[in-house]
Amino acid sequence: MDGTPTVPVTGEVHFSRVPRDRWEETLRLLVSSGLTSVSTYVFWGHHEPVKGEVSFEGDLDVAAFLDVADRVGIDVILRIGPWCHGEVRNGGHPDWVVAEHGDRARTDDAGYLSSVAGWYARIAEQVARFCGPTGRIVGIQLENELYDQPDHIATLKRLARAAGMSAPLWTATGWGGALLPPHEVFPLYSGYADGFWAGQGSRWDDSFRDHFRFSHQWDDPGVGGDFREDGLEVVVREVDPEFPPSTCELGGGMATAYHRRPIARGADIAAIANVKIGNGSAWQGFYMYAGGINPRDHAQESHATGYPNDLPRFDYGFQAAFGATGRPGPSLAPLREHNAFLASFGPWLADTFSTLPADAPVAVHDLDTLRWAVRGDGRSGVVFVNTHQPHEPLHPVPDVQFRLALDDGEIIVPDRPIDVPTGVIARWPVRLEVADVRIEWATASLVAVAAGDLPTLVLRAHDGIIPRIALAAGATGVVDGTAVDLDVPIDLVPGSLLEVDGALRVLVMDEDAIERLWFVDGDLLSSDAPLWREGEDLVARSASAPSLERWTGLTFEPVALQTASSPGITAVAVEQRREGSPPRTRYGSFMGRSSAPDDAQIAEVAALFRLDLPGDAEELMAGDRVELEIEWEGDVAQLRADDELIADKFWDGLSWCVDITRIDPDAELTLHVAPISVESAVDLDATAAARVAAAGQLCAVRRVRRVVTARWTAAG
């Protein structure tokens, strides 16, 4: 990037699933959480549902989205399909394309290519001015999950270029044994902790387990497997040596299908991200980074359109770093930490290689052997460790020391054996220079380097491991004002500050404190609210006064934020007007998977609740956002305004947030909740399944709150 080696970080946001008035805030939050680029699909079916009637207006205005990205200063990867997937209807193909071209779609059929050329021309009219050597579009992805037609991908590239689109990088998904045209596209890979696409009643598949161990195998035979022909053998392929191993779809969360409803936890996301960097990833891409809402009803992947999965008709929150309403999700804090590490150490990391130990686990079911790798340049390195895995926890490992061969000899890290507990996600430095100070090793993870009168290296202490550090011979140091002997390794206490040679400060923080950290334009900030910069101002979004502190180089000092608005949280009265009926075991099925109930079936079994919102909507100011925070239990819920469906959700045990900022405040809001029972043929996360098992049947609205969040600002 501008002549400096880097490990770029991309996050997926679908502009057509996010209200236009939230684009700028969303992209600024991506930048403040460490992303260098945003990836977005241009869904053909969103823009031209009827042949010849093409719209790029309102929330579909891709050129306006690119203008915002340019203003914010974030690069764009444009995923132009024409088949995209993204859990949309027909994978993004409009119904008329399916009707006209059938099985000839996604091939070099002349009729299909004629339709694609016309569509590409319409995209190019919108985006061409953002292409070119200095354009904001730095990459264009062709197709998605196309496994056996390299010539077609090359044809699509020619069509896109002929239409006027160009980018420094042309990419394609390389997983699933994909055959790609040589020299034409940069292959990108994936890695998910779990997947809604797995079959009904299936166990946690080995393709998911594989992402929690260090390896140099990048192909993933599991992703997209639900859309392949039964019995098709996936040929797992090696990485093309012409390109460095890179990703575009590391799970930043997970969607919820009707038949299967996995929960993506923050540690799951963090572990996979850390493992991929340890494996040698040159580019980290997360899907999704900000969720959204489908722009119209019946725009989702469903059994009705021949897909193996029923997805919600509107909700596409994806349990992402920022959910469907923009609210922070479980993966945001660990991804901010991960991205901060790449921002600070990317220039060094980009020129390193990954090495696996000789005794690396060779089986995904090995829960005992320590999982680790080294990434280095021969002179220095980072030891990556992972003992976190969902569903089947990895075992703690006693008496751990690493024997590493570097160019100038062997080094043993740490100086005495340590026990590594379950749940550790670590990046430990070895002979790494920071601000001309050489760190021999540390048993606390690298987070980032903050600027100041002296640079501050932030390290994360791990629960159950004493943060211990060794400096180069001759180093002098002071811990919290007291001189210490650095000729031998020393233990540090989270919260302590070590100054070395008057050149570098080392701040050790515990995991709870790290979760509050934001690195914004060189500032190290601690905040309990999402935070970004606009010009010279810091801006946060919250329903109450945020707690914000700035690192001065020696301590965190409070920063006052102000708002002219009146945000807050108020209870919503819930009146139950109808009891639910006993649910069916199945409302239908397709390809062996349970189907979601249709409107008639929901009306037959659902309990009905009327929501009485507080009547202060007129007090809202520009920039305020209104959400409903719904705690409920059941199978499927629909939120209706004056009986029009505006939001829906499949229950997975998590709370549900709905953005109602645009909804008529005088509309009658009703919740329709279909019950779930132990007989319901759906696959739930273990925690949700236990709740159903304990109750036998669930159908309730426990609490609804109206949450008004406002913009809070602080100068500088």
Side-chain angles (χ1 to χ4, degrees):
M1 302 289 288
D2 297 326
T4 300
T6 189
V7 178
V9 187
T10 302
E12 188 89 8
V13 178
H14 298 154
F15 69 92
S16 58
R17 280 171 158 160
V18 178
R20 181 175 180 150
D21 56 13
R22 278 177 33 204
W23 287 349
E24 181 159 344
E25 180 176 321
T26 300
L27 294 183
R28 289 193 183 279
L29 282 167
L30 263 60
V31 171
S32 67
S33 58
L35 270 65
T36 62
S37 53
V38 60
S39 177
T40 191
Y41 277 127
V42 187
F43 292 119
W44 194 353
H46 286 184
H47 296 272
E48 194 180 6
V50 177
K51 186 175 182 178
E53 298 180 13
V54 182
S55 174
F56 289 98
E57 302 297 321
D59 296 346
L60 303 178
D61 192 341
V62 63
F65 180 79
L66 292 168
D67 272 325
V68 174
D70 197 41
R71 180 165 65 251
V72 168
I74 187 168
D75 290 331
V76 177
I77 314 296
L78 207 62
R79 305 177 85 177
I80 63 173
W83 193 88
C84 300
H85 200 187
E87 289 69 68
V88 301
R89 184 180 180 92
N90 306 322
H93 279 166
D95 286 357
W96 63 266
V97 169
V98 176
E100 286 190 8
H101 303 295
D103 292 341
R104 298 183 303 278
R106 306 182 73 189
T107 73
D108 274 355
D109 173 76
Y112 175 68
L113 292 181
S114 177
S115 294
V116 171
W119 169 233
Y120 276 5
R122 300 306 295 269
I123 298 177
E125 290 172 0
Q126 304 294 316
V127 309
R129 63 187 174 93
F130 300 96
C131 296
T134 60
R136 193 50 76 179
I137 295 174
V138 298
I140 296 176
Q141 180 182 304
L142 301 162
E143 253 286 338
N144 194 66
E145 299 177 344
L146 189 64
Y147 304 111
D148 58 355
Q149 295 194 63
D151 291 345
H152 179 56
I153 291 176
T155 298
L156 292 176
K157 181 177 176 181
R158 289 195 297 272
L159 290 178
R161 291 175 65 89
M165 288 184 276
S166 64
L169 298 174
W170 293 83
T171 74
T173 53
W175 58 78
L179 291 169
L180 300 178
H183 321 302
E184 294 290 343
V185 288
F186 192 136
L188 298 175
Y189 297 94
S190 62
Y192 288 93
D194 207 334
F196 69 83
W197 52 81
Q200 185 98 50
S202 62
R203 302 186 63 187
W204 193 49
D205 192 78
D206 285 356
S207 64
F208 301 128
R209 289 184 180 88
D210 204 37
H211 298 301
F212 291 91
R213 63 171 184 161
F214 295 94
S215 78
H216 291 158
Q217 178 62 59
W218 290 87
D219 198 351
D220 185 345
V223 179
D226 54 343
F227 207 64
R228 299 191 196 107
E229 294 180 11
D230 289 340
L232 180 66
E233 182 179 356
V234 175
V235 178
V236 176
R237 303 186 188 281
E238 297 299 319
V239 174
D240 186 336
E242 189 173 32
F243 301 96
S246 301
T247 65
C248 65
E249 286 198 21
L250 299 180
M254 181 46 55
T256 303
Y258 180 75
H259 77 281
R260 194 165 196 268
R261 310 175 189 184
I263 292 178
R265 293 171 172 85
D268 304 343
I269 310 302
I272 288 180
N274 197 55
V275 165
K276 296 301 179 182
I277 285 295
N279 290 349
S281 174
W283 178 3
Q284 297 283 86
F286 295 97
Y287 187 105
M288 299 285 295
Y289 210 89
I293 297 292
N294 290 329
R296 64 177 68 91
D297 199 359
H298 301 298
Q300 85 284 12
E301 170 180 330
S302 69
H303 291 175
T305 54
Y307 276 73
N309 312 298
D310 262 340
L311 273 290
R313 285 153 65 173
F314 285 97
D315 182 78
Y316 198 68
F318 215 87
Q319 303 173 52
F322 296 100
T325 67
R327 180 179 290 204
S331 63
L332 177 58
L335 285 180
R336 280 203 320 274
E337 178 192 345
H338 175 81
N339 300 342
F341 164 71
L342 295 180
S344 290
F345 296 96
W348 170 82
L349 201 68
D351 285 332
T352 62
F353 53 90
S354 168
T355 302
L356 304 180
D359 60 349
V362 295
V364 293
H365 295 279
D366 180 351
L367 305 180
D368 298 307
T369 306
L370 185 66
R371 301 182 178 199
W372 65 286
V374 177
R375 191 155 169 179
D377 58 9
R379 301 177 300 277
S380 58
V382 174
V383 176
F384 293 86
V385 178
N386 179 53
T387 62
H388 172 83
Q389 181 174 275
H391 306 301
E392 296 178 359
L394 301 176
H395 297 160
V397 184
D399 300 326
V400 170
Q401 279 182 302
F402 304 98
R403 186 183 301 272
L404 308 175
L406 301 177
D407 290 349
D408 57 356
E410 187 177 82
I411 182 172
I412 296 177
V413 178
D415 60 325
R416 59 194 185 197
I418 61 172
D419 296 339
V420 178
T422 296
V424 171
I425 303 166
R427 302 175 297 268
W428 292 342
V430 177
R431 289 195 178 149
L432 193 66
E433 287 201 4
V434 181
D436 297 324
V437 171
R438 193 171 86 178
I439 300 170
E440 287 292 295
W441 51 262
T443 57
S445 280
L446 296 166
V447 177
V449 179
D453 61 321
L454 293 181
T456 299
L457 171 63
V458 181
L459 297 177
R460 172 166 53 90
H462 300 277
D463 292 344
I465 298 177
I466 295 173
R468 188 166 173 82
I469 191 169
L471 283 302
T476 60
V478 176
V479 175
D480 297 334
T482 301
V484 292
D485 180 7
L486 294 183
D487 288 335
V488 294
I490 63 169
D491 293 339
L492 296 171
V493 176
S496 62
L497 184 65
L498 166 66
E499 185 173 311
V500 183
D501 293 342
L504 176 70
R505 296 186 179 112
V506 180
L507 175 65
V508 182
M509 306 181 74
D510 63 26
E511 295 185 347
D512 289 340
I514 289 291
E515 286 191 354
R516 291 173 50 96
L517 288 190
W518 294 73
F519 295 82
V520 182
D521 294 339
D523 277 344
L524 172 58
L525 302 157
S526 177
S527 173
D528 62 355
L531 189 70
W532 68 95
R533 191 180 293 282
E534 289 183 13
E536 297 300 317
D537 293 338
L538 287 171
V539 185
R541 176 167 293 282
S542 181
S544 60
S547 170
L548 174 62
E549 298 176 315
R550 176 186 284 111
W551 177 249
T552 66
L554 294 173
T555 187
F556 282 99
E557 294 290 343
V559 177
L561 294 114
Q562 297 179 331
T563 184
S565 186
S566 300
I569 302 175
T570 53
V572 173
V574 180
E575 175 192 0
Q576 184 164 358
R577 292 189 166 182
R578 185 176 67 234
E579 295 285 340
S581 301
R584 302 180 189 176
T585 300
R586 272 187 169 175
Y587 295 95
S589 65
F590 181 69
M591 296 179 66
R593 305 178 184 207
S594 294
S595 300
D598 59 26
D599 286 345
Q601 291 168 328
I602 289 177
E604 179 185 333
V605 302
L608 173 63
F609 303 86
R610 182 183 180 276
L611 308 183
D612 186 13
L613 269 63
D616 57 353
E618 65 279 2
E619 299 177 8
L620 297 178
M621 297 183 61
D624 286 354
R625 186 175 303 156
V626 187
E627 299 173 340
L628 284 184
E629 185 183 82
I630 304 169
E631 305 290 344
W632 68 290
E633 296 168 328
D635 184 18
V636 177
Q638 292 184 342
L639 178 65
R640 292 179 173 268
D642 291 337
D643 206 36
E644 179 185 352
L645 180 64
I646 60 173
D648 64 328
K649 190 77 170 176
F650 301 155
W651 185 72
D652 55 12
L654 303 177
S655 61
W656 179 25
C657 291
V658 182
D659 188 343
I660 61 168
T661 309
R662 294 180 170 187
I663 302 303
D664 180 356
D666 295 324
E668 182 183 55
L669 294 183
T670 53
L671 267 174
H672 306 250
V673 179
I676 193 170
S677 78
V678 290
E679 302 299 325
S680 297
V682 295
D683 296 343
L684 296 171
D685 180 84
T687 54
R691 290 167 63 179
V692 179
Q697 178 173 312
L698 294 174
C699 183
V701 176
R702 300 298 182 188
R703 184 180 71 176
V704 180
R705 300 195 299 176
R706 178 175 179 262
V707 181
V708 179
T709 59
R711 290 164 46 93
W712 299 74
T713 60

